[in-house]
Amino acid sequence: MQILTLTSYIKADLIARLSRDELPPESLTLAALSDHYKVSVTPIYHAINELIEEGYLYREKNRRLCVNQDRIGDARTAALSPQPAPPEDHFKRITDDLLTMSLKGESLFLREMASAKKYGISRTSLRNIFNRLAGDGMLEHVPRRGWKLRSFNQHDLDAFIEVRVVLELKALDLAKGRLDRQVLQKILAGNQVPATDDEPLQIDNSLHEYLIKQSDNYYIISFFDRHGRYFDLLFLWESNDRAAAIQEIQQHQRILAALLEEDWKTARKELEFHLRSNHPVLSQLKR
């Protein structure tokens, strides 16, 4: 039942995005859409099939998905109808709960049956979420004992930051000739300090991932993919603090301005400062 609800939501959202011409061809893949909606490919697969059956999309001979331009007008009409509310995000709720416990220094074992009952989901759904969090380094499955929660440790964070500084600065050095100004401008546009206290934050943290990817160094990429996910969750949690998020935006702006000017010395200096100083909330947690 959850898959059907999620499928309906994704289908309606895709129709709305089709109506606004927000779906470039490269985004119309199961993998890309799964990553965008942060779900498995199953509800994406069902939503895509329904859109094909209704004529909004079609497949070319090479199996690539394409938009049926003849139905764009229908998509605009459909997008005006009431949209289903997004289903409850169990992954986010569980992640937030576990992060809170982790940041308190709690290292405990979680049982599937009790946890599934707590969140009102099936054990299969819970196991899928726990497996995903295990891939992110937050949980470890211990046979016959359950899932062990990783506790936050300040020394561990400091050690990660030390290695991160070395590798990310190296990534910047290697990426210099591969940086696309349009991509940098887009990231810069996504980092804007709000004009008033009531205005929502606009933050784009993809600069780090972009530099690492453009380094084209397997070992740098592999380190962050293997060891960085747990800390990415911590950093995302930290950005809920408005002052910390504004500081992050301002630091991103200075790094990106230097990159666009090809002032590599300043870019390295600002990047290192950002990596070492951008954790005012986590640095106060003494564990």
Side-chain angles (χ1 to χ4, degrees), residues 2-21:
Q2 182 186 0
I3 287 179
L4 292 176
T5 302
L6 190 54
T7 296
S8 299
Y9 168 70
I10 291 172
K11 175 186 171 185
D13 190 62
L14 286 173
I15 289 176
R17 295 177 67 200
L18 283 172
S19 74
R20 298 190 296 267
D21 196 26

Side-chain angles (χ1 to χ4, degrees), residues 59-101:
R59 289 191 184 276
E60 293 185 326
K61 291 182 179 179
N62 61 4
R63 304 295 294 167
R64 172 181 287 184
L65 281 170
C66 295
V67 178
N68 183 358
Q69 297 298 329
D70 292 337
R71 292 217 62 187
I72 289 298
D74 295 331
R76 294 192 182 99
T77 301
L80 294 176
S81 62
Q83 303 298 313
E88 182 180 357
D89 191 341
H90 294 296
F91 178 79
K92 184 178 186 307
R93 180 187 173 196
I94 292 172
T95 300
D96 288 345
D97 282 355
L98 296 188
L99 270 176
T100 299
M101 289 188 286

Side-chain angles (χ1 to χ4, degrees), residues 209-266:
E209 182 181 358
Y210 180 61
L211 292 177
I212 292 164
K213 179 181 177 182
Q214 294 306 103
S215 75
D216 196 30
N217 183 296
Y218 168 80
Y219 297 99
I220 294 177
I221 295 170
S222 178
F223 170 82
F224 285 103
D225 184 57
R226 183 174 182 180
H227 299 289
R229 296 183 181 182
Y230 170 71
F231 295 100
D232 284 343
L233 291 173
L234 291 180
F235 300 155
L236 183 62
W237 169 87
E238 188 174 38
S239 66
N240 289 323
D241 182 278
R242 189 175 180 87
I246 291 175
Q247 172 181 292
E248 184 177 9
I249 291 169
Q250 293 169 332
Q251 292 177 0
H252 283 167
Q253 289 176 332
R254 292 196 293 269
I255 299 167
L256 287 158
L259 291 175
L260 287 165
E261 291 291 331
E262 297 187 3
D263 183 351
W264 308 120
K265 182 178 179 180
T266 299

Side-chain angles (χ1 to χ4, degrees), residues 32-210:
L33 292 172
S34 175
D35 182 66
H36 173 79
Y37 289 104
K38 305 301 181 186
V39 297
S40 71
V41 298
T42 303
I44 302 294
Y45 174 81
H46 290 301
I48 290 295
N49 279 347
E50 290 184 18
L51 290 174
I52 291 174
E53 290 177 4
E54 294 175 19
Y56 292 106
L57 300 173
Y58 67 92
R59 289 191 184 276
E60 293 185 326
K61 291 182 179 179
N62 61 4
R63 304 295 294 167
R64 172 181 287 184
L65 281 170
C66 295
V67 178
N68 183 358
Q69 297 298 329
D70 292 337
R71 292 217 62 187
I72 289 298
D74 295 331
R76 294 192 182 99
T77 301
L80 294 176
S81 62
Q83 303 298 313
E88 182 180 357
D89 191 341
H90 294 296
F91 178 79
K92 184 178 186 307
R93 180 187 173 196
I94 292 172
T95 300
D96 288 345
D97 282 355
L98 296 188
L99 270 176
T100 299
M101 289 188 286
S102 175
L103 289 165
K104 290 178 180 178
E106 297 182 18
S107 180
L108 46 82
F109 284 91
L110 304 167
R111 294 290 185 177
E112 288 183 3
M113 184 175 295
S115 297
K117 183 177 180 180
K118 174 182 177 181
Y119 294 108
I121 58 177
S122 68
R123 288 187 66 177
T124 299
S125 297
L126 179 88
R127 192 177 300 118
N128 288 337
I129 293 173
F130 276 11
N131 275 316
R132 182 172 167 186
L133 290 173
D136 289 338
M138 185 183 292
L139 293 174
E140 176 189 359
H141 185 251
V142 180
R144 295 183 297 278
R145 296 198 65 184
W147 296 82
K148 185 179 181 181
L149 175 66
R150 177 176 180 174
S151 66
F152 172 75
N153 181 284
Q154 188 69 52
H155 176 73
D156 191 32
L157 173 63
D158 294 341
F160 173 77
I161 290 175
E162 285 299 322
V163 178
R164 182 187 186 188
V165 169
V166 173
L167 292 183
E168 202 160 325
L169 289 176
K170 184 61 178 178
L172 171 57
D173 292 339
L174 294 173
K176 286 177 184 176
R178 304 185 184 95
L179 299 180
D180 186 323
R181 291 185 61 83
Q182 289 186 336
V183 173
L184 296 176
Q185 290 281 11
K186 183 178 179 181
I187 298 174
L188 179 59
N191 284 279
Q192 299 297 322
V193 176
T196 66
D197 292 339
D198 297 327
E199 186 178 339
L201 296 171
Q202 185 177 349
I203 184 169
D204 183 343
N205 197 39
S206 62
L207 172 63
H208 304 284
E209 182 181 358
Y210 180 61

